[in-house]
Amino acid sequence: MIKIITVGSIKEKYLKDAIEEYKKRISKYSNIEILEVKDEGTVEPVKAIELEAEKIKKYINPRDYIITLEIEGKQITSEEFSKRIEDIFQETSNITFIIGGSYGLSNQIKNISNFKLSFSKMTFPHQLFRVILLEQIYRAFKISHNESYHK
């Protein structure tokens, strides 16, 4: 089971369509669930990430392997990402990805992360990043099943 916990919701139709398409593609390989928590961006930044953290923690199962998406995280190739997902599924049946809000993630969430992942040193809109993450998860499954798409 793949679970994505993300701060904020998607408003743009083209992004919703892309998300649904990748969820459908991924469902051939794994159950997938996306859980949205309210973006608290209207309050002071430190308070916002703490409020978001409390909401995120409600969706975390102690048996989940947690991957946080952080600009300070480790950058890996698509092949390494595929291998990591494959290895994690050997140990547990649940992988939870966490995408923070506009102010990032609370240290209390970062501290429970099993792996801190960065896709780039660049900053992406959180709504678009959800599509990028889903595409990379789909690509990882295609790689691990030796199916065309990757190249």
Side-chain angles (χ1 to χ4, degrees), residues 4 10-26 32 34 127-136 138 149:
I4 299 172
I10 303 294
K11 294 167 185 57
E12 297 84 357
K13 183 183 180 328
Y14 73 97
L15 292 173
K16 286 180 180 181
D17 291 346
I19 289 164
E20 287 308 311
E21 178 61 27
Y22 280 114
K23 281 175 59 181
K24 183 175 84 178
R25 292 180 186 194
I26 292 166
I32 182 161
I34 298 177
Q127 299 86 346
L128 179 59
F129 189 77
R130 195 182 310 186
V131 176
I132 295 168
L133 174 61
L134 287 165
E135 190 281 333
Q136 284 298 304
Y138 175 64
Y149 172 78

Side-chain angles (χ1 to χ4, degrees), residues 43-61:
V43 300
E44 184 260 325
V46 174
K47 179 76 171 160
I49 61 173
E50 294 309 319
L51 289 169
E52 292 163 357
E54 291 306 313
K55 294 175 187 149
I56 289 168
K57 288 192 303 189
K58 291 178 184 174
Y59 293 112
I60 296 173
N61 182 311

Side-chain angles (χ1 to χ4, degrees), residues 20-130:
E20 287 308 311
E21 178 61 27
Y22 280 114
K23 281 175 59 181
K24 183 175 84 178
R25 292 180 186 194
I26 292 166
S27 69
K28 174 181 174 189
Y29 306 99
S30 173
N31 290 328
I32 182 161
E33 179 179 26
I34 298 177
L35 302 160
E36 297 176 342
V37 302
K38 182 176 182 264
D39 185 338
E40 299 289 346
T42 59
V43 300
E44 184 260 325
V46 174
K47 179 76 171 160
I49 61 173
E50 294 309 319
L51 289 169
E52 292 163 357
E54 291 306 313
K55 294 175 187 149
I56 289 168
K57 288 192 303 189
K58 291 178 184 174
Y59 293 112
I60 296 173
N61 182 311
R63 294 184 317 270
D64 292 351
Y65 185 96
I66 298 168
I67 298 176
T68 48
L69 285 298
E70 304 179 34
I71 201 163
E72 311 87 9
K74 181 176 172 138
Q75 293 182 20
I76 58 177
T77 67
S78 294
E79 292 84 357
E80 291 167 329
F81 184 60
S82 176
K83 177 76 168 103
R84 182 168 292 269
I85 287 174
E86 205 174 313
D87 291 347
I88 294 166
F89 276 135
Q90 300 287 327
E91 302 295 321
T92 184
S93 59
N94 297 318
I95 301 174
T96 296
F97 293 90
I98 302 175
I99 303 171
S102 55
Y103 298 125
L105 288 170
S106 162
N107 283 335
Q108 61 179 305
I109 299 299
K110 291 178 179 185
N111 291 340
I112 61 172
S113 178
N114 297 101
F115 184 69
K116 294 167 179 38
L117 177 63
S118 173
F119 278 17
S120 172
K121 298 253 185 247
M122 295 179 180
T123 301
F124 297 101
H126 293 282
Q127 299 86 346
L128 179 59
F129 189 77
R130 195 182 310 186

